[in-house]
Amino acid sequence: MILTVKKLGRWHGSRSVAVLLFLLVAISGCVAKDNPSELGERLVWPPPPLEEKIEWVAEYKIIGGQHQGWGVWQSVKSFIFGTQQTAMTRPYGICTDGKTKLFIADTGAAVIHVYDMETLQYQVIKGTRQYPVISPIGVTYFSGAIYFTDSVQAKIFKYDLSTKKLSLWAYVDLERPTGIAVSREGGYFFVVDTLAQQVVSYDRHGAELLRFGARGTGAGQFNFPTDIAIGPEGKIYITDSLNARVQVFSQNGRFLRSFGQAGDTPGSFSKPKGIGVDLKGHIFICDALFDAVQIFNPDGQLLLTFGDNGTERGQFWMPSGLYVDKKGNVFVADTYNRRIQQFRALHR
């Protein structure tokens, strides 16, 4: 089987707008590059003549089987030695290492995809006989390792990127762990336990620190929460999916506020899932049924919505995961389109 990692994107600065198509084949060799072709108009939100806030940057795909070309786009072929590759089936959780590595939890393929956006290197993290992986959902990076939840096994795994060893991070008492996030300053981990309707906190060694939440519709209660993000001030943001809202907590589990309600208009939610927060406290939320990303200010007021249903760039089909890095890049796991789309916040 020939496997393809495809990145479509644009170059900025003094270079013309461009598209790259990367074909990674699991044989030895070197990297050869063709000249990129012209893409055409930039894709931004809101559209002109309004001031641009969000720009589409790239998409990433890993495709099993023979590659089918995209018309005018030319290819960049990277021949990777000794790399076992797996097609992206159902991407869900997503994060980066704060630099160039992209980590994608693929629930359909039961793997973690690791892609270096600069060197184009690719690897796949699979379960072992000792530590099988069945349903990876959430993924986060901390201090040279990635940590990911397995919702079916109710476990959290750790993969050390230097030693390339997979291990069971800790023996946790969880029912169905999904979203996971870590406080960069103190190394405190927070895990959403969807079936238990709770959020559980651990130290960096996996010792449980606290739990908060219960089933319900009141302040601090949940109805199948899904994802989690930690803001610049250490505040914890939870997508309370079936309550159609976002709840905000302190790191000690104290309820601060919530926003959102069920509806089909901008500012409301149908099935909020992935969530990310930028350095200014802007909150990005993808809604799996709206096929869109909504951006709110720190007070929960709607700023902008982008995306709609479809397969073209900037369109989504049941997006599930979202991650915002320190540079304002927004990565969306476009789950049923089997790809990751990258956007960039402008004029931050």
Side-chain angles (χ1 to χ4, degrees), residues 2 13 28 42 72 88 103 119 130 139 141 154 156-157 162 192 205 217 264 274 292 307 325-326 335 343 346:
I2 296 177
S28 61
R42 295 168 58 237
V72 299
M88 190 185 298
F103 307 104
T119 67
Q130 182 180 8
V139 60
Y141 171 88
I156 301 174
F157 291 99
S162 59
V192 176
H205 304 294
T217 60
D264 57 4
D325 71 12
K326 292 181 179 180
T335 303
F343 304 85
L346 304 172

Side-chain angles (χ1 to χ4, degrees), residues 98-118:
K99 298 178 182 177
T100 63
K101 284 189 173 61
L102 188 63
F103 307 104
I104 306 158
D106 188 337
T107 62
V111 301
I112 305 294
H113 303 284
V114 182
Y115 178 60
D116 193 305
M117 295 175 284
E118 184 174 285

